[in-house]
Amino acid sequence: MPCERKPMRYGHSEGHTDVCFDDAGKYIVTCGSDGDVRIWESLDDDDPKSINVGEKVYSLALKNGKLVTAASNNTVQIHTFPEGDPDGILTRFTTNATHITYNRSGSRVAAGSSDFMVKVVEMYDSSQQKTLRGHTAPILSVTFDPKDEFLASASCDGSVAVWKIEEQTQVTSWPLLQKSNDVINAKSLCRLAWQPKAAKLLAVPVETTVQLYQRDSWAQVGTLSDDLGTQAINVVAWSPCGKFLAAGSIGGLLTVWDVESKLCVERQKHEKGYTVCGLAWHPSGGQIAYTDTEGCLGVLDGLSSSSSSSSTTTPASYDDLFDDDDDRPMDEGISEGARSPAKNPGDEDDDDDLIPATGRARNRSAFLDDENSLDTGSLKQGLDKFVDDDDAGSAIVPPAAVAAPLRPVYDGPMPTPPQKAFQPGSTPAHLMHRFMMWNSVGIVRGYNDDQDNAIDVEFHDTAVHHAMHLTNSLGHTVADLSQEAVLLACPGTDELASKLQCLHFSSWDTNKEWMVDLPKGEDVQALCLGQGWAAAATSALILRLFSIGGVQRELFSLPGPVVCIAGHGEQLLVVYHRGTGFDGEQALGVQLLQFGQKRRQVIHGEPLPLSRKSHLSWLGFTAEGTPCFIDSEGVVRLLNRSLGNMWTPVCNTRDNCKGKSDHYWMVGVHENPQQGIFCIPPLPCDSTTDCPTHCLCPSLSFQEQYWRSVLLHNHYGFLSSSGYEIDEEGQSQAQKEQQELLMKMFALSCKLEREFRSVELAELMTQNVVTLAIRYASRSHRMALAQRLSDLALEKANQLQGEEPQEEEEEEPLQYTRRNTGSGLGRSGSAGGQNRVTNVLDSMMSSSKKPTALLSSSGSTGKLNKTPFLKPLAPRPKTKVQHNSVYVRHKSGFQLWLEDNRRIILADNPDLEETDVIKEAIGRFRTLSSSHLPPHTHTFALNSWGMDSTRCRKRSTGRLAHVDSNGPLVCQVCWMSFWW
């Protein structure tokens, strides 16, 4: 397909431009950032007609004599063509429209805007509109399905979506593009294009390739690429016949592919290498018009249309495709009949078929062995379904005599492009004004424009350090900030090596800066600061660890390409690629390293759990030092150290967004107080946008509140074991809140008659709270539950006694209080044979009270010690201690009541002595009704007839009886229960 690239003509001022042909191909119509629309009769037209439609024109479309333009006044306007008379406003947006297009018949116009919306407007009645909402960033481009059923759109949020027009719903979406905050900052305009006529392929420019997606199944069925294409493709356009696809790139490369064979059949370079931002095929298919960002118009002429008799012959094998003899025609050795297939007289589109005049492809090495791994035979078989039935006569058929055998077509999961390395807390590097780091210490801003190339460092607390302004002469792109230093790094070039620079402002000497040059070919991709150290992960799969003063302390290899790293105190968190992900999943691994005196690896490269088809968005530590991260679905996960270093989701920021277009940019996380996720609110937002905000969670159930409290207070144990001072008052308050939540859940389970669940909740309680649970169950007349809770209370009491320090060879004291589960009775005795019956509630000892003494035969008293017991390194000499009888003296109900009410008695009578206090307490205690008495005040005695003759102490007429054989004794008058 030899063509002629004609010299370009100046058309508009510097900036974005667009181009299209009229229906007949008589005129070329262009628009630009000067606000003018120019109508050219040809490229040689010295006096094109000019129409001013606004301050700037971002896009245009022309069909049926109606010229539609997207102007900078947030409107989509209509002008008559070619007269250029205004014909009204089609629709309006809250911001400027970025791209517009007609459907195949010209009855509808689709327009995308920077306010994240896509509108489909009827030309005959502009009040008939359909609005497509779902993108979370400005719209890059829109394109109609030729059958007018679907519409595709690309957005700065990185996604390409397909919509059902009538239902106004999103059919599918692919995360294919690099995210940006505005069209002007987007890496590519991503001008989508739907295959005309057959309407079976959607072309999406992604980086340096064009991906083809099949209609209805929405599966990727092919990829077009060019070996010489090193920069992102900006815009694509189909030929009128639907067999060829043209693309214009940022570097000015113009490429034409034969879609069936996936061969590059034409390649031209912009004469000055400017970015191509507008592209259009002539209706006849023999010419391509294009515009650049400098306002110039160009034409590729001579893309001749001819019959299929001279169309390109697909090579029969790879040997023919990569023949060493460049001068030998590709169809040599093929019979005339095979080389010149008969023309089908019924073909109407044969004149639109583009052919290379030489009979061979211009780019032999551009055949991409795509994910389907098709040879020429399977290409023909697989792509026949994408060719319109009307074009069957002009289809390219390989000669049957030399056809290669078919290879199996791969139809399995497709690999996911690996996530690129990024710095948590930073915005994209291609922005001229960006945040290089925003964390709990301060903000590092980078400026790179025509006026300045500098870095500003600001501290939230000016007592740490004053603000700094640094000249960015080295081109630093990544940064981190701590209370000790600022760490910067720049990529390497052909002449200069990648550099790591540290401004150690907390140093006590006068030299506060050091710099390290990395080996050639090794670039810093991620870095972080900790307490007294700095780390940098490089493109050579190496992590370098430096002291804060510049001494390299460690160097080790990473298992895969780094994604990001984070530091806090003596901890280093590393996330890297473990392998290739499939079907949109990322295969990431995580390592957690602990420095200090004992260096160790806490997490050994386990997989990092992400949400389905998401990627990592932020990585760091909480203010208390717990690793955490957030993925692109907005789920925040925290490391649960108490569960073997598992990751637990604690919040979903998407649940707190007001709309689908909202999202949160993470800054930091605090575990205490709860609900402490600091992030930047979305734009637009009703609140102030220049300060962090809390991401509040919705109302939680008791269970979620309890487990969230447990998870978010695990850091107390970690900090204590690491030698840090902890807030003991805060820890006790957290434990108190947890026990209160357990008691609320216990009461709710009792009301719902979930006694089994009540026992499960009681297992999580402390001994004192179990006592309260027994009282609640007794007063709720749930005797079976109270019995099981009593058993549980005794087990917890035995566990506490078992944790007390004992002499190694000391015999265990004989406990005379024991439980007989078979009869429901417990007997306590002494060595002399006297029986003593006690209430099990009396044996519950409050953790806030002094422990009960153990009395030995020798009269010595051994107090319980609750401080941690450390075993000596050397074994103690063996001693034998003989015990006679040991019994536990339990407090009576009056003693417990006095302890609870002593403060009230003294407040009423501050002058009373101790004996007078006891007398006053006895008087008040005797006047109490049974409803105010705890179960401890009920006493009873056995006689020879058993327990039927037992009486309640406060209700002498009340008989004590078992509700069931294994249950407690219950007073039949006051319904108070107690145990043997």
Side-chain angles (χ1 to χ4, degrees):
M1 190 186 292
C3 66
E4 177 186 1
R5 176 175 56 82
K6 294 186 176 182
M8 303 192 69
R9 292 288 305 274
Y10 174 80
H12 301 273
S13 61
E14 179 182 354
H16 176 73
T17 56
D18 202 358
V19 63
C20 69
F21 284 95
D22 70 327
D23 296 334
K26 183 179 178 182
Y27 298 102
I28 303 174
V29 187
T30 62
C31 68
S33 58
D34 52 8
D36 292 337
V37 173
R38 288 189 168 85
I39 304 173
W40 310 69
E41 293 185 0
S42 67
L43 188 63
D44 300 329
D45 189 356
D46 294 331
D47 188 19
K49 184 176 181 179
S50 181
I51 307 171
N52 185 266
V53 297
E55 183 179 351
K56 290 183 179 181
V57 185
Y58 297 103
S59 181
L60 57 79
L62 175 60
K63 195 175 276 297
N64 300 337
K66 296 293 184 180
L67 176 65
V68 183
T69 57
S72 57
N73 57 358
N74 305 343
T75 62
V76 177
Q77 305 177 23
I78 306 175
H79 290 76
T80 60
F81 185 85
E83 296 81 8
D85 299 329
D87 196 20
I89 294 177
L90 187 63
T91 187
R92 297 179 184 271
F93 292 93
T94 56
T95 60
N96 58 283
T98 56
H99 190 233
I100 54 178
T101 185
Y102 270 106
N103 64 349
R104 185 176 184 178
S105 63
S107 61
R108 286 176 169 179
V109 170
S113 171
S114 293
D115 60 4
F116 312 165
M117 290 193 302
V118 177
K119 291 184 179 181
V120 179
V121 189
E122 301 291 340
M123 284 295 295
Y124 67 89
D125 184 5
S126 60
S127 63
Q128 301 295 322
Q129 298 186 6
K130 291 181 172 60
T131 303
L132 307 178
R133 293 181 174 89
H135 283 298
T136 60
I139 307 300
L140 290 172
S141 68
V142 292
T143 181
F144 272 108
D145 165 25
K147 296 183 180 180
D148 219 16
E149 181 181 359
F150 301 105
L151 182 139
S153 61
S155 171
C156 292
D157 61 10
S159 67
V160 175
V162 178
W163 310 82
K164 190 89 168 180
I165 298 176
E166 295 302 325
E167 299 176 2
Q168 303 182 44
T169 57
Q170 190 176 107
V171 178
T172 187
S173 178
W174 305 290
L176 302 175
L177 311 177
Q178 181 174 314
K179 295 183 179 181
S180 60
N181 58 359
D182 199 0
V183 176
I184 193 174
N185 297 321
K187 185 176 182 180
S188 167
L189 294 177
C190 191
R191 292 287 197 246
L192 309 173
W194 218 302
Q195 184 185 28
K197 298 186 178 179
K200 293 184 178 180
L201 293 176
L202 173 64
V204 182
V206 180
E207 296 292 339
T208 60
T209 65
V210 178
Q211 296 184 6
L212 303 177
Y213 289 86
Q214 182 183 0
R215 176 193 170 95
D216 296 330
S217 69
W218 312 118
Q220 183 181 348
V221 295
T223 303
L224 305 176
S225 71
D226 184 15
D227 293 343
L228 300 183
T230 59
Q231 298 198 47
I233 295 176
N234 221 20
V235 57
V236 296
W238 287 88
S239 64
C241 64
K243 292 181 174 58
F244 298 90
L245 185 71
S249 69
I250 293 177
L253 183 65
L254 294 164
T255 312
V256 180
W257 287 279
D258 183 336
V259 178
E260 290 187 26
S261 62
K262 300 185 181 179
L263 291 176
C264 174
V265 295
E266 185 60 59
R267 183 192 300 114
Q268 291 287 344
K269 182 72 175 177
H270 189 287
E271 59 186 32
K272 294 185 178 180
Y274 294 146
T275 297
V276 177
C277 54
L279 195 65
W281 281 82
H282 192 277
S284 67
Q287 193 179 70
I288 294 178
Y290 61 96
T291 56
D292 59 25
T293 53
E294 295 297 319
C296 295
L297 169 67
V299 170
L300 293 182
D301 205 354
L303 299 169
S304 60
S305 301
S306 182
S307 66
S308 61
S309 60
S310 58
S311 60
T312 304
T313 301
T314 304
S317 65
Y318 289 106
D319 294 335
D320 293 334
L321 181 64
F322 300 105
D323 201 325
D324 293 335
D325 186 3
D326 289 344
D327 297 329
R328 173 172 168 251
M330 295 183 66
D331 56 356
E332 183 178 343
I334 302 176
S335 64
E336 286 297 323
R339 191 186 313 135
S340 302
K343 177 180 178 180
N344 188 347
D347 292 340
E348 298 177 359
D349 301 323
D350 287 342
D351 293 338
D352 294 335
D353 293 348
L354 300 174
I355 62 165
T358 60
R360 64 186 300 173
R362 296 174 61 90
N363 178 21
R364 300 183 176 187
S365 61
F367 192 99
L368 178 65
D369 188 12
D370 69 347
E371 65 277 4
N372 291 325
S373 301
L374 300 178
D375 60 6
T376 54
S378 56
L379 275 173
K380 175 64 181 69
Q381 184 188 41
L383 288 175
D384 277 347
K385 58 180 178 290
F386 304 131
V387 182
D388 204 352
D389 294 337
D390 297 336
D391 302 328
S394 61
I396 300 172
V397 182
V402 291
L406 296 180
R407 289 195 289 175
V409 178
Y410 176 71
D411 195 22
M414 303 306 300
T416 304
Q419 180 179 357
K420 296 182 179 179
F422 72 98
Q423 188 71 9
S426 67
T427 51
H430 66 271
L431 301 178
M432 290 186 294
H433 295 180
R434 58 183 290 254
F435 293 110
M436 301 178 69
M437 174 55 62
W438 188 330
N439 58 18
S440 59
V441 178
I443 303 173
V444 181
R445 289 185 173 93
Y447 305 92
N448 184 14
D449 51 27
D450 297 336
Q451 298 178 352
D452 194 10
N453 188 4
I455 296 175
D456 287 342
V457 182
E458 301 176 7
F459 295 87
H460 300 317
D461 185 3
T462 55
V464 176
H465 198 271
H466 59 78
M468 295 184 289
H469 180 80
L470 310 173
T471 302
N472 192 11
S473 58
L474 296 175
H476 293 303
T477 57
V478 289
D480 196 12
L481 179 64
S482 71
Q483 295 189 355
E484 295 178 314
V486 180
L487 191 62
L488 305 167
C490 64
T493 62
D494 295 338
E495 296 82 12
L496 300 176
S498 178
K499 298 179 183 296
L500 184 68
Q501 183 179 5
C502 181
L503 304 177
H504 186 199
F505 53 78
S506 64
S507 175
W508 49 265
D509 63 0
T510 57
N511 194 352
K512 300 181 181 295
E513 179 180 346
W514 55 269
M515 185 180 301
V516 173
D517 288 352
L518 270 65
K520 187 174 180 59
E522 183 177 350
D523 291 344
V524 175
Q525 293 185 325
L527 51 79
C528 68
L529 286 166
Q531 184 177 354
W533 55 268
T538 69
S539 59
L541 306 186
I542 291 177
L543 193 141
R544 299 177 181 271
L545 188 66
F546 299 87
S547 68
I548 198 66
V551 179
Q552 183 161 320
R553 297 166 51 183
E554 296 288 348
L555 183 148
F556 56 88
S557 295
L558 295 175
V562 68
V563 177
C564 60
I565 60 177
H568 182 277
E570 297 176 345
Q571 301 178 86
L572 173 62
L573 193 63
V574 183
V575 173
Y576 58 91
H577 288 285
R578 301 175 62 247
T580 302
F582 290 88
D583 288 343
E585 306 287 347
Q586 295 288 335
L588 303 183
V590 59
Q591 290 182 346
L592 179 60
L593 308 177
Q594 181 78 37
F595 301 139
Q597 294 182 353
K598 294 184 178 180
R599 300 188 179 186
R600 61 191 181 98
Q601 188 173 1
V602 181
I603 300 179
H604 304 267
E606 282 81 359
L608 186 70
L610 298 174
S611 301
R612 285 280 298 165
K613 295 186 178 181
S614 66
H615 59 269
L616 185 63
S617 296
W618 184 87
L619 179 77
F621 291 83
T622 65
E624 292 76 17
T626 302
C628 63
F629 70 90
I630 181 173
D631 57 31
S632 56
E633 292 298 320
V635 179
V636 182
R637 289 177 174 84
L638 215 64
L639 185 68
N640 190 348
R641 301 182 190 272
S642 64
L643 197 61
N645 293 326
M646 304 295 287
W647 296 93
T648 302
V650 295
C651 179
N652 189 342
T653 59
R654 292 289 178 89
D655 294 340
N656 306 284
C657 294
K658 297 180 180 179
K660 293 183 179 180
S661 61
D662 295 345
H663 65 280
Y664 288 90
W665 191 62
M666 184 70 70
V667 173
V669 180
H670 285 254
E671 296 180 68
N672 194 13
Q674 297 184 25
Q675 300 176 341
I677 298 177
F678 288 90
C679 50
I680 304 300
L683 296 174
C685 182
D686 297 332
S687 61
T688 306
T689 58
D690 57 352
C691 61
T693 181
H694 283 286
C695 177
L696 299 179
C697 299
S699 59
L700 306 177
S701 64
F702 289 147
Q703 292 188 37
E704 187 170 354
Q705 289 183 34
Y706 171 75
W707 288 114
R708 187 183 296 275
S709 176
V710 171
L711 177 64
L712 296 181
H713 290 93
N714 280 339
H715 64 275
Y716 283 120
F718 171 73
L719 294 177
S720 178
S721 63
S722 300
Y724 293 95
E725 294 183 0
I726 61 173
D727 183 8
E728 296 182 357
E729 182 179 354
Q731 185 179 16
S732 61
Q733 181 64 26
Q735 294 175 351
K736 180 181 178 181
E737 293 175 357
Q738 295 167 13
Q739 296 301 314
E740 289 177 354
L741 289 170
L742 288 173
M743 196 61 201
K744 290 179 181 178
M745 290 187 285
F746 177 85
L748 184 60
S749 298
C750 289
K751 291 181 180 180
L752 297 176
E753 298 183 354
R754 298 276 188 176
E755 296 188 0
F756 188 89
R757 182 185 299 173
S758 300
V759 175
E760 291 178 333
L761 291 170
E763 292 175 353
L764 303 174
M765 298 177 181
T766 61
Q767 185 179 359
N768 287 340
V769 181
V770 173
T771 303
L772 297 177
I774 295 175
R775 294 180 182 177
Y776 185 90
S778 300
R779 293 178 181 178
S780 300
H781 305 160
R782 302 187 180 278
M783 305 310 168
L785 175 61
Q787 169 69 37
R788 292 187 178 275
L789 294 179
S790 175
D791 297 343
L792 179 63
L794 289 176
E795 292 177 5
K796 287 183 175 289
N798 292 334
Q799 289 177 2
L800 288 178
Q801 293 179 2
E803 293 175 358
E804 298 170 1
Q806 299 286 340
E807 295 293 333
E808 289 190 358
E809 295 297 325
E810 189 175 326
E811 294 181 2
E812 229 178 309
L814 180 62
Q815 298 283 344
Y816 283 88
T817 302
R818 66 181 185 270
R819 178 165 49 93
N820 189 336
T821 58
S823 61
L825 299 178
R827 299 180 180 274
S828 296
S830 63
Q834 296 179 351
N835 293 334
R836 179 176 178 269
V837 182
T838 61
N839 192 330
V840 71
L841 295 178
D842 292 338
S843 66
M844 303 299 174
M845 297 178 294
S846 175
S847 61
S848 60
K849 301 177 178 60
K850 290 185 177 181
T852 306
L854 296 177
L855 302 180
S856 63
S857 59
S858 59
S860 62
T861 302
K863 295 184 178 180
L864 298 177
N865 185 9
K866 291 192 176 183
T867 58
F869 178 73
L870 300 179
K871 292 184 178 181
L873 295 178
R876 295 187 178 183
K878 297 182 180 180
T879 57
K880 293 184 179 181
V881 180
Q882 295 183 356
H883 299 271
N884 292 330
S885 62
V886 179
Y887 65 92
V888 179
R889 184 183 300 277
H890 299 287
K891 296 181 180 179
S892 66
F894 170 74
Q895 289 176 322
L896 294 175
W897 181 90
L898 178 59
E899 290 178 355
D900 294 336
N901 295 271
R902 179 185 294 274
R903 180 173 54 83
I904 299 175
I905 296 174
L906 291 177
D908 297 337
N909 304 281
D911 299 332
L912 293 180
E913 298 292 337
E914 180 63 24
T915 55
D916 297 329
V917 170
I918 296 176
K919 292 179 181 180
E920 178 67 18
I922 292 174
R924 294 188 182 189
F925 185 79
R926 288 175 177 176
T927 61
L928 293 177
S929 64
S930 61
S931 61
H932 294 87
L933 289 176
H936 306 71
T937 60
H938 292 72
T939 58
F940 55 93
L942 287 175
N943 58 18
S944 58
W945 293 279
M947 54 190 170
D948 289 337
S949 62
T950 56
R951 300 287 181 177
C952 177
R953 177 178 180 182
K954 298 303 295 181
R955 300 288 186 181
S956 59
T957 59
R959 297 177 61 85
L960 300 178
H962 278 288
V963 177
D964 56 47
S965 59
N966 294 324
L969 291 172
V970 180
C971 175
Q972 297 177 348
V973 177
C974 65
W975 287 102
M976 300 299 289
S977 60
F978 47 90
W979 302 84
W980 292 91

